[in-house]
Amino acid sequence: MEIFGIIWNEVLIRPMTNGLIILYLGLFNNFGLAIITFTVFIRVLTIPLTLKQLRSSKAMATIQPKVADLQKKYPKDRQKISQETFKLYREAGVNPMGCLGPMIIQMPIWIGLYWSLIRALPSSPEALAGLAETLYSKLHLVHAAIPIQSSFLWLDLAAPDSTPILPLGVGISMWIQQKMMTHPSADPKQRQTNQIMLWMMPVMFVFFTFQFPSGLALYWVVTNTIGIVIQYFVTGWDNLLGRNEPKEPSSDTPHTPVTNTKEIDNGAKIEEQRKHGNHRNIRPVRRRSNRGRTNTPRRK
Amino acid sequence: MFLLSVLLTGCGTDRFEPNGWGGITIDNNKLFIGSGDGQLIILDPKNGALLQSYPQNKENLHAIYSAPLISNNGKTIFYGTYSKKDGGTIYSLQSDTLTPNWTKAIPGSIVAQPIMADNLLLVSSSDGKLYAMEPETGNQKWVFESDGKLWSSAAWSEGNSVFIGSLNKKFYAINKNNGTKLWEFESEGAIVGTPLINGSTVYFGALNKKIYALDSKTGIEKWSRLGDHWYWAPLTQDKNALYAGSMGGMVSALNLDTGIALWEQKIDGAILAPLLLLDSLIAIASDNGQVTVLRKDSGNQTWNFPAGKSMRAKMANQENKIYLITTEGEIKSLDANRGTSLWSLQRDN
C-alpha cells in the first residue's frame, strides 16, 4: 500500500501542488486565477476524450429505440438481447463504456486538487509542516511563495463559501450540463431514471460544496462551464430546451373533429378490405386541393 | 463513480487536522506538559507518575501546540489552545492546585507559547494580533495588529522592545509599553519560529530557507544565510555559537556575528522541535522519530535514540535527563549521557 501512496504523491500531488503555486506566482499572486487556469488546462488536455465520450453518448441515444425493440422482440431471452445489443453497438461504432473515460480521469484530479488545496493553503500547523515535504526543494521560488494568499473575490479558497453563491453556481452549472447530456427516452422507466439523476447529482454537489474548500468548488464551476460549452458544440441546446422530447399521444390533447364524412367512410372501407387481405380495390380518396384554383367554370 | 470520488476526496487528509503536539516545561521538580489533546498534565520526572491534570473531563478540549509557561514566581501556569472553529483560549491556573485563575477567549487560535515581558503576558494569535494582558486578571492592556498569522512566540529581553515574526513574512519590533510598531523588516519567507535576542542583534529563521540577523534597534539586516530547507524550529545560542535546525535535517552551528558555519551535521528527519542545549551537547528531536545528540563543539554525534514517533514539541532537561513528548502523546525520559530510556508513558492523544 505504501508504494501506491508514494506513486500517488510523486505522480499527482507534488506536481499538482507545485504547479498550482507556480501558476499562482505567474498570475499576480492570485490563487483563484491559478485554479481557473489549471482547470482550463486540464479540460483542454482531455478534450479529445470528452468529445469521444459525448459522441458515443449521442450515438447510443439514437440506437436506444432499436435496443427497446430488441427487448420486445426477445422478451424472455436475455442472452439473445445481450448479443443483439452488442451487435447493434458494434455496427453503430459505440462503446458503452465510453462515458467512463472522462470520469476516470476526473476522479483523481478532483481528489488530487483537494489534497493540493489543503496543502498549498494550510489552515493548521500540521498542514503547513506537511507542505514542506510536498514542495520540490530545488524550486526556491515556490518556497518563497509560502504562505499562499487564499482570498479570491469574496472567497477564502481554503474554507467553504460562507454565501450560497458558489454552491448554487455548482448546482446550476451541473444541472445544465446534465440536462444537455441527457438524451430523452421514450421508455418511461428510463425517463424516470434520467429525471432522478438530473436532480440528484446537482443537489448532492450543492450540499458537498457547503462542506469543501471553496477552491474545489471554484474548480467544479469552471469545469462544468467548460463542459457546457463543449456539449453545445456536440449536441446544441436542444436537450436543454426540451426540443427532443418524444411526443406521446395524450387524452388531454384537443383534436380537430373530422368534417369530411366521405373520408371516414372510405377509411373504414379500406380498413375492412385490409383485414380480409383484399388490397386490389383499395384506392384512397384523393382530396382535391383548392390551391391555385379560381372559380372559372370548366370548359366542355 | 461521482459519489465515490467525492467521498474519497477527504481520505487520508486527517493528518492535516489540528491535533496539536504540546510541549514540556520543568519547574519545581515537576514536569508540566501541554498535551496535544488539550489537557495540561503534571508528572513526576523521576518515574512519569501522573500527579495532576486539568481539566479532568477530556471532552471538547482543543489542541495545544506549545509548552506551558510557568510565571516568574512559579505560582502560575499559562497556556493557550487552538481550535479552527472556536478560536483560541488562554488559561491561567495556579501551579500547585491547577485551580483556574481566569480564562480568556480570543478570536484567533493560539499556536505559540505565551511569554512574560516585565509583568505583561504576551499572547500571539492566528488572527494576526499580539495581545498584551495583565497576568493576574487577563485584562487587555494593548494589542498589536499585524496582517498575517502569528504562530511564533514574541521575544523580549529587557528594554522596551518586543520582537515577533509573522506568516506574512514580516518581522516586527513593538513598543512593549503601548504596542506601537517601532520598525518592521520584510523578509522573503514566512516566519514561524520564535526570535532570539542576543545583545543588540535579533535572529530568526524563515520558511524561505534563510536565517536572518538584524540590528535590534533599527531592523537593518546584519547578515542572512541561505540554508538547505525551511527553518521552523526556533534558533538557540550559547556564548559560542548560534544553533539552527532545518526541516531538511541540517543542524548548523553559526558564528553569531557573521553567520558563517562553524560546523554542520545532517541528521535523519525534519526538525520542527526546538533544539535543546545541554552542557556540552545539543539534543535534536526530529519528525521521523529520532532523538540525536551532537557535541556542541564539533557536531559529532554522541548518540541516537529511536523514539519511534514524530516529535515536534519542545523538550526539557534536568539533571542529565531529557524529557520529550511525541505527536502521538507518548512521553519519555532519556538519560542524556547514554541515550537510554528511563521511563515511558503513553497517553491517549
Side-chain angles (χ1 to χ4, degrees):
Chain A
M1 282 304 287
E2 205 178 309
I3 188 78
F4 290 119
I6 293 170
I7 292 170
W8 172 255
N9 205 42
E10 295 301 320
V11 170
L12 193 64
I13 303 300
R14 289 189 85 190
M16 203 182 272
T17 308
N18 285 271
L20 278 169
I21 295 175
I22 290 170
L23 275 176
Y24 162 83
L25 289 169
L27 290 168
F28 319 107
N29 285 8
N30 189 314
F31 206 66
L33 287 181
I35 292 173
I36 291 169
T37 307
F38 168 79
T39 310
V40 171
F41 174 70
I42 293 294
R43 288 311 300 251
V44 164
L45 266 187
T46 56
I47 272 182
L49 200 61
T50 306
L51 285 174
K52 194 173 170 188
Q53 176 255 318
L54 291 176
R55 287 184 187 127
S56 176
S57 173
K58 192 178 175 184
M60 275 189 73
T62 57
I63 63 173
Q64 277 311 307
K66 290 183 187 171
V67 173
D69 285 344
L70 284 176
Q71 285 169 349
K72 282 180 198 162
K73 199 172 169 186
Y74 307 105
K76 288 179 183 172
D77 193 344
R78 285 196 174 275
Q79 197 177 356
K80 187 73 179 171
I81 290 173
S82 296
Q83 276 174 357
E84 293 298 317
T85 305
F86 278 115
K87 198 174 158 188
L88 268 177
Y89 286 150
R90 211 170 38 246
E91 284 164 5
V94 163
N95 179 1
M97 304 301 278
C99 63
L100 291 179
M103 213 177 297
I104 288 171
I105 290 179
Q106 291 265 29
M107 252 182 71
I109 291 172
W110 290 344
I111 300 171
L113 183 63
Y114 175 72
W115 281 51
S116 299
L117 277 176
I118 62 170
R119 288 187 191 212
L121 303 174
S123 58
S124 70
E126 284 87 345
L128 182 58
L131 181 57
E133 64 198 30
T134 305
L135 301 183
Y136 295 130
S137 56
K138 298 277 189 279
L139 277 181
H140 294 298
L141 57 100
V142 298
H143 292 268
I146 306 304
I148 306 294
Q149 300 304 319
S150 61
S151 59
F152 177 65
L153 302 176
W154 72 95
L155 300 166
D156 174 359
L157 296 169
D161 187 0
S162 56
T163 73
I165 297 171
L166 209 54
L168 285 177
V170 168
I172 291 169
S173 60
M174 185 163 283
W175 186 90
I176 292 174
Q177 191 178 19
Q178 197 87 352
K179 179 80 176 160
M180 289 173 78
M181 280 169 63
T182 306
H183 297 281
S185 171
D187 178 12
K189 274 189 190 165
Q190 185 61 46
R191 284 162 77 92
Q192 195 179 23
T193 306
N194 289 347
Q195 271 294 103
I196 292 169
M197 289 303 294
L198 178 64
W199 287 97
M200 188 178 79
M201 293 296 297
V203 166
M204 290 195 72
F205 268 76
V206 166
F207 172 74
F208 290 139
T209 309
F210 278 110
Q211 317 292 321
F212 283 125
S214 55
L216 193 62
L218 181 64
Y219 165 82
W220 279 335
V221 168
V222 175
T223 198
N224 289 344
T225 306
I226 295 172
I228 289 168
V229 170
I230 295 173
Q231 185 79 47
Y232 166 73
F233 284 106
V234 175
T235 59
W237 297 124
D238 288 348
N239 287 342
L240 180 65
L241 299 174
R243 287 185 193 147
N244 288 339
E245 295 291 335
K247 288 181 182 137
E248 293 177 31
S250 165
S251 58
D252 291 331
T253 310
H255 61 275
T256 312
V258 175
T259 53
N260 188 344
T261 52
K262 209 171 181 181
E263 272 194 358
I264 295 171
D265 288 343
N266 203 46
K269 259 193 206 168
I270 291 169
E271 193 54 43
E272 192 64 32
Q273 285 176 333
R274 273 199 181 129
K275 268 190 195 166
H276 293 101
N278 184 356
H279 302 281
R280 253 192 262 167
N281 294 330
I282 294 172
R283 223 185 262 169
V285 169
R286 257 189 290 164
R287 262 195 303 180
R288 295 172 76 182
S289 166
N290 287 329
R291 193 170 55 186
R293 282 179 180 269
T294 61
N295 283 329
T296 315
R298 288 175 77 180
R299 282 186 192 170
K300 286 187 181 173
Chain B
M1 203 170 278
F2 265 120
L3 278 178
L4 181 65
S5 63
V6 171
L7 290 169
L8 283 175
T9 302
C11 282
T13 57
D14 53 330
R15 68 189 179 105
F16 299 136
E17 287 302 303
N19 295 316
W21 50 66
I24 304 179
T25 303
I26 288 188
D27 189 83
N28 196 24
N29 217 25
K30 290 181 188 172
L31 289 180
F32 295 85
I33 301 174
S35 177
D37 62 5
Q39 256 198 335
L40 176 80
I41 58 172
I42 303 178
L43 303 183
D44 183 341
K46 289 195 204 70
N47 51 26
L50 178 67
L51 301 175
Q52 287 162 292
S53 65
Y54 176 85
Q56 295 295 321
N57 186 355
K58 286 177 85 172
E59 285 178 15
N60 301 321
L61 296 181
H62 298 315
I64 299 175
Y65 282 95
S66 57
L69 167 71
I70 312 299
S71 71
N72 288 334
N73 58 12
K75 288 184 182 167
T76 314
I77 303 168
F78 300 97
Y79 69 96
T81 61
Y82 185 109
S83 167
K84 263 199 238 182
K85 206 172 58 165
D86 301 326
T89 306
I90 182 90
Y91 293 84
S92 168
L93 312 174
Q94 293 176 25
S95 60
D96 50 356
T97 59
L98 297 189
T99 308
N101 294 323
W102 51 263
T103 61
K104 191 176 175 81
I106 56 178
S109 303
I110 299 167
V111 175
Q113 185 187 45
I115 70 155
M116 287 294 290
D118 198 19
N119 207 36
L120 260 187
L121 181 68
L122 297 177
V123 181
S124 52
S125 164
S126 294
D127 62 3
K129 293 178 184 163
L130 179 66
Y131 296 86
M133 302 173 184
E134 290 173 358
E136 298 84 8
T137 59
N139 292 337
Q140 185 176 299
K141 294 204 79 175
W142 53 256
V143 62
F144 169 77
E145 201 162 334
S146 76
D147 57 0
K149 292 179 183 174
L150 298 178
W151 280 4
S152 84
S153 295
W156 173 74
S157 174
E158 307 299 327
N160 282 332
S161 301
V162 165
F163 303 94
I164 192 164
S166 86
L167 282 186
N168 74 343
K169 308 177 189 177
K170 289 188 182 158
F171 189 82
Y172 302 96
I174 302 160
N175 188 317
K176 182 180 68 69
N177 298 319
N178 53 26
T180 54
K181 184 172 69 178
L182 297 171
W183 52 257
E184 75 175 47
F185 173 83
E186 184 117 18
S187 78
E188 291 162 346
I191 305 163
V192 179
T194 303
L196 176 72
I197 304 168
N198 181 33
S200 61
T201 310
V202 59
Y203 306 89
F204 62 92
L207 302 192
N208 64 337
K209 310 182 190 178
K210 279 188 167 180
I211 294 172
Y212 294 86
L214 309 181
D215 184 297
S216 60
K217 286 195 174 47
T218 61
I220 293 172
E221 183 180 316
K222 288 186 174 180
W223 56 260
S224 63
R225 185 176 186 278
L226 181 66
D228 69 318
H229 211 301
W230 293 8
Y231 287 101
W232 183 294
L235 308 176
T236 187
Q237 52 109 171
D238 61 14
K239 60 181 177 5
N240 299 315
L242 178 71
Y243 301 96
S246 78
M247 287 185 70
M250 189 67 77
V251 183
S252 310
L254 309 176
N255 182 292
L256 285 157
D257 298 318
T258 61
I260 293 171
L262 303 171
W263 54 257
E264 286 191 309
Q265 181 69 253
K266 182 100 166 55
I267 66 162
D268 196 17
I271 303 168
L272 284 86
L275 308 182
L276 182 67
L277 290 187
L278 308 170
D279 290 329
S280 58
L281 303 172
I282 179 167
I284 307 108
S286 74
D287 207 30
N288 74 342
Q290 301 285 329
V291 179
T292 307
V293 168
L294 309 176
R295 289 187 60 83
K296 270 201 243 174
D297 53 4
S298 61
N300 291 336
Q301 184 173 309
T302 308
W303 54 261
N304 176 280
F305 179 84
K309 305 280 165 45
S310 164
M311 288 168 286
R312 297 176 172 179
K314 177 175 169 284
M315 296 182 283
N317 72 298
Q318 189 177 57
E319 295 169 1
N320 283 324
K321 294 183 186 63
I322 294 172
Y323 303 94
L324 59 91
I325 180 168
T326 70
T327 53
E328 295 189 21
E330 192 176 0
I331 302 161
K332 288 182 184 294
S333 169
L334 307 179
D335 183 305
N337 293 323
R338 293 181 206 150
T340 51
S341 175
L342 298 171
W343 55 258
S344 176
L345 170 70
Q346 175 63 60
R347 283 181 51 77
D348 301 325
N349 221 22

